[in-house]
Amino acid sequence: MARPRKRTALLPQRHTEPDLFVCDILDATPKSDRASMEHPLFSLSVKKDLAAFEYEQGNVKVKITPAAEEGRANVFDRDILIYVLSQLMAAKNEGQEIGRRVRISAHDLLKATNRHTTGQAYATLRRALTRLQFTQIETNIHDHGIGEWRSISFITDARIVKEDSTGRLLSVELEMGDWLVKAIENKNVLTLNKAYFQLRKPLERRLYELARKHCGKQDVWRIGLDKLQHKTGSTSSPKEFKRLVKLICKADADQSHMPDYKFTLLHDVLEVSPKPEFLDIYGDAPAITSEISVRLSSEAYEKAREAAPTWDVYFLEQEWRMWMSEPPRHPDGAFIGFCRKWYERKGKAP
């Protein structure tokens, strides 16, 4: 009797041969906007999530109201935005004019994001469009230093341009939220590994996003589990969250399935470091985001903690990197000085 095949950590690649004359994501490198990588705007639940969600980090506040019927937009719905942003970025790089209204082929989107192309998959796509349109986000997330409280959506309009006799979507026209289009225009995006679409678990995808956003090409990025849970938006108990992270780290140690980064849990701290294959590709390349690439010593982190007690030093590092306009001559000293002034202005962490 044949032994059952062991389930791999990654989903299989469902479409290995791209169609001729199809605008495929293999050509349009996967991109995501930095704001929704930094903050938990998407639900981690694969079930209908009808609960309102609130999040606060530093000066950023977010309140999310789910769509009345379909619930809150989830991490897998995000694939649609990644696909569209990737196509827009590719068009912009070719010198084309881009705008908020975009027409896409549903079949191309499903293939590019490693999904099935069955009738059920098209029905799932239709529900995802509803969640993306009607999930409402109230936030003061700033755009290049300009902060304002506003209500935004991922997409503001979705129109099925054409269906076949079975009800499958053939062509879909979307109107993207203006903040997402601005991210493309300002190149305020990050490149994702195509294997992102093979990650099975929502939390795996969220951990990869945070690693891509915060670790980049640094030797290591560390974050405590309590702060990590807050940034992922997980509603699990702390004990359950630690168990889930531990399982992901164990699977990565056994199968090295997480793209670009190695994830290791050390007591209550997650340690993330770039994998050799990632550095082989990007190690000598210029920074691929608007964030300036500089390295800090371990001593700098310790002195930063002394300069800004009660604050998460890695959060302060991210704020510092966003604030910089050019690489400092002495990164350690510049970072510590930034933390000291931050503490003088804001006092203890909320």
Side-chain angles (χ1 to χ4, degrees):
M1 181 176 177
R3 298 177 64 181
R5 183 179 300 176
K6 184 179 178 181
R7 171 170 150 148
T8 59
L10 286 177
L11 291 168
Q13 287 187 337
R14 297 191 173 108
H15 310 284
T16 57
E17 294 296 330
D19 289 340
L20 197 61
F21 305 122
V22 168
C23 183
D24 197 287
I25 207 165
L26 293 174
D27 297 321
T29 308
K31 302 284 186 183
S32 180
D33 69 291
R34 292 163 55 96
S36 56
M37 294 177 75
E38 169 70 13
H39 307 295
L41 303 186
F42 296 89
S43 172
L44 296 181
S45 176
V46 295
K47 298 179 181 179
K48 186 183 294 186
D49 187 351
L50 294 171
F53 178 80
E54 293 190 23
Y55 166 84
E56 186 171 343
Q57 177 68 52
N59 293 325
V60 172
K61 296 181 180 180
V62 176
K63 180 179 179 181
I64 301 177
T65 303
E69 294 184 3
E70 291 294 339
R72 182 178 162 202
N74 63 51
V75 167
F76 294 103
D77 299 337
R78 178 185 178 81
D79 291 357
I80 298 173
L81 301 182
I82 293 173
Y83 177 80
V84 175
L85 290 177
S86 306
Q87 303 299 322
L88 289 174
M89 194 73 214
K92 181 176 175 60
N93 289 337
E94 293 177 359
Q96 299 179 31
E97 292 290 330
I98 63 171
R100 292 178 59 187
R101 297 203 70 86
V102 182
R103 182 175 293 189
I104 60 173
S105 160
H107 180 75
D108 294 354
L109 184 152
L110 292 173
K111 287 191 62 177
T113 54
N114 199 46
R115 299 189 181 202
H116 292 294
T117 53
T118 61
Q120 183 178 355
Y122 286 91
T124 299
L125 179 59
R126 185 195 295 269
R127 291 193 295 271
L129 290 170
T130 299
R131 287 189 292 269
L132 288 171
Q133 181 175 357
F134 293 106
T135 294
Q136 294 298 303
I137 305 168
E138 296 177 74
T139 182
N140 66 340
I141 294 176
H142 65 79
D143 181 21
H144 292 275
I146 301 175
E148 60 180 357
W149 189 259
R150 56 180 177 164
S151 179
I152 59 177
S153 300
F154 297 109
I155 58 178
T156 56
D157 184 39
R159 186 163 66 96
I160 300 169
V161 181
K162 191 177 181 182
E163 294 183 75
D164 66 10
S165 58
T166 67
R168 295 189 307 176
L169 315 185
L170 299 181
S171 183
V172 178
E173 191 172 286
L174 307 176
E175 185 174 82
M176 304 291 289
D178 62 343
W179 60 287
L180 289 169
V181 177
K182 284 181 181 179
I184 292 295
E185 292 174 341
N186 297 323
K187 296 189 176 180
N188 199 17
V189 296
L190 284 172
T191 300
L192 305 181
N193 192 305
K194 290 189 291 291
Y196 172 87
F197 298 117
Q198 292 179 258
L199 293 173
R200 295 177 182 272
K201 301 176 181 179
L203 184 56
E204 287 177 328
R205 293 187 172 209
R206 186 71 186 121
L207 292 181
Y208 172 76
E209 292 169 3
L210 289 171
R212 194 70 195 86
K213 177 70 169 58
H214 289 281
C215 186
K217 295 182 288 184
Q218 298 178 81
D219 292 335
V220 65
W221 174 61
R222 299 182 182 90
I223 183 170
L225 281 182
D226 55 345
K227 182 67 68 174
L228 179 66
Q229 181 168 4
H230 183 62
K231 290 180 75 65
T232 61
S234 170
T235 56
S236 300
S237 68
K239 182 178 180 180
E240 174 65 7
F241 181 75
K242 182 175 182 177
R243 186 187 73 85
L244 295 173
V245 173
K246 188 175 182 179
L247 285 175
I248 292 171
C249 291
K250 185 179 185 305
D252 188 48
D254 293 342
Q255 301 184 37
S256 191
H257 74 295
M258 293 294 285
D260 298 335
Y261 298 95
K262 177 183 177 182
F263 293 78
T264 307
L265 185 61
L266 304 172
H267 302 293
D268 289 330
V269 176
L270 180 68
E271 183 175 282
V272 182
S273 55
K275 292 181 176 178
E277 56 268 28
F278 175 75
L279 293 177
D280 287 345
I281 298 173
Y282 295 111
D284 296 327
I288 55 178
T289 76
S290 58
E291 182 178 294
I292 296 171
S293 179
V294 296
R295 293 189 177 185
L296 297 170
S297 68
S298 57
E299 291 81 4
Y301 291 104
E302 293 302 320
K303 291 182 179 179
R305 290 186 179 94
E306 296 174 2
T310 73
W311 284 91
D312 184 318
V313 69
Y314 302 110
F315 165 73
L316 294 180
E317 179 188 4
Q318 183 62 28
E319 293 293 319
W320 174 64
R321 290 177 180 276
M322 290 289 291
W323 171 80
M324 280 190 293
S325 59
E326 60 183 20
R329 181 173 298 180
H330 303 291
D332 284 6
F335 176 53
I336 295 166
F338 174 87
C339 293
R340 186 176 295 111
K341 291 181 180 178
W342 179 283
Y343 189 76
E344 289 174 356
R345 293 197 313 270
K346 300 181 179 293
K348 293 183 178 180

